[in-house]
Amino acid sequence: SLLSSDSSGQKKMPIFKTMFSSLIHYPWYNLHLEERNPVPPFIDQRWRGRAQQRLEVLQQLSRSQPSLQIPQIVYEDPEISGRNRYKYFERPFIPFHKPFPLNVAYAVAKTEPYVYPSITSDRSRSPTSRTLGTQTDYRDGEAQTDPYSPEYVVPLGSIPELLTLATLTWGRGLPAGQAEVEMIERAREKRAWEATLPPLSDLSQTEKRRKMMDDMERKEWAFREQEIEKLQDVRLEVLKNLLRRREEDQNEVDVNRLDAHWFNRQQDKEERVRKIKHEHIKAMRKLIAKGKNVEGKLERRDVISDYTDYASQPYGPLSRIGYFPDNHSERYVVKNHFLNTYEGLLELEASLPHSVTQPQTKAPKPKTTTTKEGFIKRTSRQDMELVQVHQALLEKKNKVKEPKKPLRFLQKITKPVPRPLTPTLLRPSTREEELELAVIFLQKLIRGRAIQNMMFEGKEKRLELIRELRTTHALQEDGKLLKKAEKQVTLALQRQRDLHEHKLSLVENHLAWIEGRALVNMFDFLSKELVRLQEERRIHAFAMLAERQRRIREAEESGRRQVEERRRREEDEIFKQVAKVHQRTVDSYLEDVILNSMESTAEEQAREEIQKVAVEINDIAYEMESRRTCLQSEEIVAELVYGFLIPELQKISVKEKGKEANSFVLFLNHDLLAERPICQGFQ
């Protein structure tokens, strides 16, 4: 198994990417600590105090003693609308300019305190055992899917018609369709035809039986040929549909491929047109910018003009500069389920109390009297002002200092850091002050001399440069122009050299990048090829070992099979010889018995069959006579006339014609015989 654990509590967790790796730097698993809890999960691990234990004991005793009263667990009021009201408010932290309404959790109407059921009662109602699922090693395809067919018992001497349907199963003939119904009808017709066949004991009707069987065989062959033709037609139709569908699919694939190619070409065309337009706009902007400043003077930015013009960059920056004002515009849009959907509004309305959805307010009555025009009277206004002043004086007089609220949490009182002692500076003497001033003056002299020496050394080092500057300033205008031209030539050469070096560095960097990529690809290919070759050799070795093991097992199995076959042949031969002796004795005895009983049995069976056939023919004849109509009687007479009288008349006419022909031939012969001697005499 992939997941395994050891005694130390570490569990091997396989890594998907390197699951079949055997390399050290690519392990196939990681070690994780496995949590082991010795306490079963059905045991409550919560701490139960003395009161909870006492309550559980009382609940257990109440089952046997119903009169025992159990104290109810009463929970204190959370005071949602009181001092704990601030705990049920929340303001979302979303950066937006508009203020958001508070998420208010309204207080629920006070009801009777809820008594929670005990743990033991819930545990007693839960089942003590449960059935776990099982996993099988067999696939669904190996399970039986045909409905169960019960066994049947057939009485001796009877062949029920239901057995013809025994070969039909679910999905192969069941539920029965038109073909199955036709098969059943053909079976019925065949059984009826077999019933009409002459018996084998009647030798006089052997030819009739053979003729009927030949006719039935020809009919069956014709029916089979029709079925084969229908099957071929169906297969041909299926083949035509498949060919047509394949052609349609191929045409669809070709059309899709042409559409994709045309779409890609159109995209390339639009992209090229867009690039050309973009380059054209850039070139036009550059030309316009150059036209504004033909002389090439540097102009500073005028901040005042930029901020006075509302079409300038500070107010409306351009997207080509890199500012996109519409980006992430949806981040400030508040999406609330309760405000955007109808179901959310219904849920929000259901959560609000009745006083919010249907407020009932009364208009306040005016405390002052007004005139007909709506103005307050002067006396009423003065009375109202006096009442307000009196109320303010009473509040100021009866104002009581509010006691300090007790602390809810413990606070640590930090002691202040003690201040350091104030340092005392001793007053120095006059000698020490003179020494200090002398030292300071000496330091100033030394620093000044050091700076002077540094300036002198710098002057000596740059003496040639100073002289060059002096000579340059002393030259005339022509010399200055020559120096300036030389300077420009030197700068041009420097720029050219820098450009050349930059090009060379670019080429070298590009070549190095190409070489590095080629080397990386080559090393990657070689490493993969090495790994593949190693794996191939290992797999080849495994295959050779498996082949060798298979050949060894085949040789052993073939040897065992040869020994078993040789032993089986010997036993079969012994059994044949013994059975042959017994069979000969049984055959001689049976021949004697059969020869004696054949004649009597054949005679009895022939008499029974003749009587049975006679009874059946009589029944059929009586039934036909009872149901026969006048038209059927005429048909029977016509058939009898056609079958017996007309052939007899034909036979009689043929016989008479034969006799007349024979008499005519005899007459001619007699004439010839009478004339023959006369002819011979003439000769």
Side-chain angles (χ1 to χ4, degrees), residues 628-643:
R628 189 175 61 186
T629 60
C630 182
L631 184 62
Q632 291 178 352
S633 301
E634 292 178 358
E635 289 179 357
I636 292 170
V637 171
E639 288 180 359
L640 290 174
V641 170
Y642 183 77

Side-chain angles (χ1 to χ4, degrees), residues 72-88:
Q72 296 181 350
I73 302 174
V74 181
Y75 295 91
E76 61 179 358
D77 187 15
E79 296 184 12
I80 296 175
S81 59
R83 62 177 181 178
N84 295 331
R85 186 180 177 84
Y86 71 96
K87 296 181 181 179
Y88 298 89

Side-chain angles (χ1 to χ4, degrees), residues 330-372:
E330 295 183 356
R331 122 170 72 184
Y332 303 110
V333 178
V334 179
K335 297 179 180 179
N336 195 348
H337 169 70
F338 297 102
L339 300 178
N340 295 341
T341 59
Y342 179 69
E343 292 80 3
L345 289 174
L346 293 179
E347 186 177 353
L348 181 61
E349 185 178 355
S351 63
L352 296 176
H354 187 70
S355 60
V356 176
T357 55
Q358 295 181 359
Q360 297 177 358
T361 57
K362 295 181 180 180
K365 294 181 179 180
K367 296 180 181 180
T368 58
T369 57
T370 56
T371 59
K372 294 181 179 180

Side-chain angles (χ1 to χ4, degrees), residues 1-40:
S1 62
L2 295 176
L3 300 176
S4 60
S5 59
D6 53 4
S7 59
S8 62
Q10 293 182 351
K11 192 174 184 180
K12 293 181 180 180
M13 301 297 293
I15 303 172
F16 181 75
K17 293 184 178 179
T18 59
M19 186 179 294
F20 302 101
S21 174
S22 59
L23 302 177
I24 299 174
H25 55 285
Y26 289 113
W28 66 274
Y29 66 89
N30 284 335
L31 293 176
H32 293 273
L33 292 176
E34 185 180 7
E35 296 182 358
R36 293 184 178 180
N37 191 4
V39 182

Side-chain angles (χ1 to χ4, degrees), residues 156 175 178 371 433 462:
L156 294 175
Q178 184 178 0
T371 59
E433 288 183 358
R462 274 80 176 180

